[in-house]
Amino acid sequence: MMCGGLSDAQNAHAEIQKISDTVKPQAEQKTGNTYDVFVAKIYSSQVVAGTNYFIKVHVGGDDYVHIRVFQSLPHVGAGAELTAIQVSKRLDDAIEYF
């Protein structure tokens, strides 16, 4: 991965699901929706002064959202923050920078 570039897409794992769960209330607030399903499927990351995670999240049926979550460096002590969300996504939509 190039410094500052977006990593290749990978299958989500437990840590990515935990990050997604942390920002779920923020996603619901930004979209005005309540998600009964919120399962991280695929993600890419970008190293900045912390890490941006671009995560494809299944929200039920054929619907997905893409979320961008910023996780600051550990010494800062801040939690994960939802910085952007894209709705009306599908399983085959690529994860790209937004």
Side-chain angles (χ1 to χ4, degrees):
M1 177 177 66
M2 183 175 72
C3 184
L6 202 58
S7 72
D8 291 335
Q10 303 172 53
N11 289 329
H13 48 75
E15 180 182 340
I16 299 303
Q17 183 61 53
K18 182 178 177 182
I19 291 168
S20 299
D21 290 342
T22 300
V23 300
K24 180 183 175 196
Q26 295 171 49
E28 290 176 331
Q29 182 179 19
K30 282 191 177 198
T31 63
N33 292 320
T34 300
Y35 299 115
D36 295 328
V37 175
F38 205 75
V39 179
K41 295 293 187 177
I42 299 169
Y43 79 100
S44 292
S45 59
Q46 176 191 36
V47 176
V48 288
T51 305
N52 281 319
Y53 292 98
F54 297 82
I55 308 169
K56 178 188 299 278
V57 179
H58 181 230
V59 293
D62 292 332
D63 297 325
Y64 291 79
V65 296
H66 290 182
I67 59 175
R68 183 174 72 210
V69 179
F70 177 70
Q71 180 68 59
S72 61
L73 295 170
H75 74 278
V76 175
E81 176 187 355
L82 179 71
T83 55
I85 186 166
Q86 295 179 328
V87 297
S88 301
K89 294 295 188 175
R90 299 284 179 223
L91 178 61
D92 58 350
D93 289 336
I95 295 279
E96 298 174 333
Y97 184 90
F98 63 95

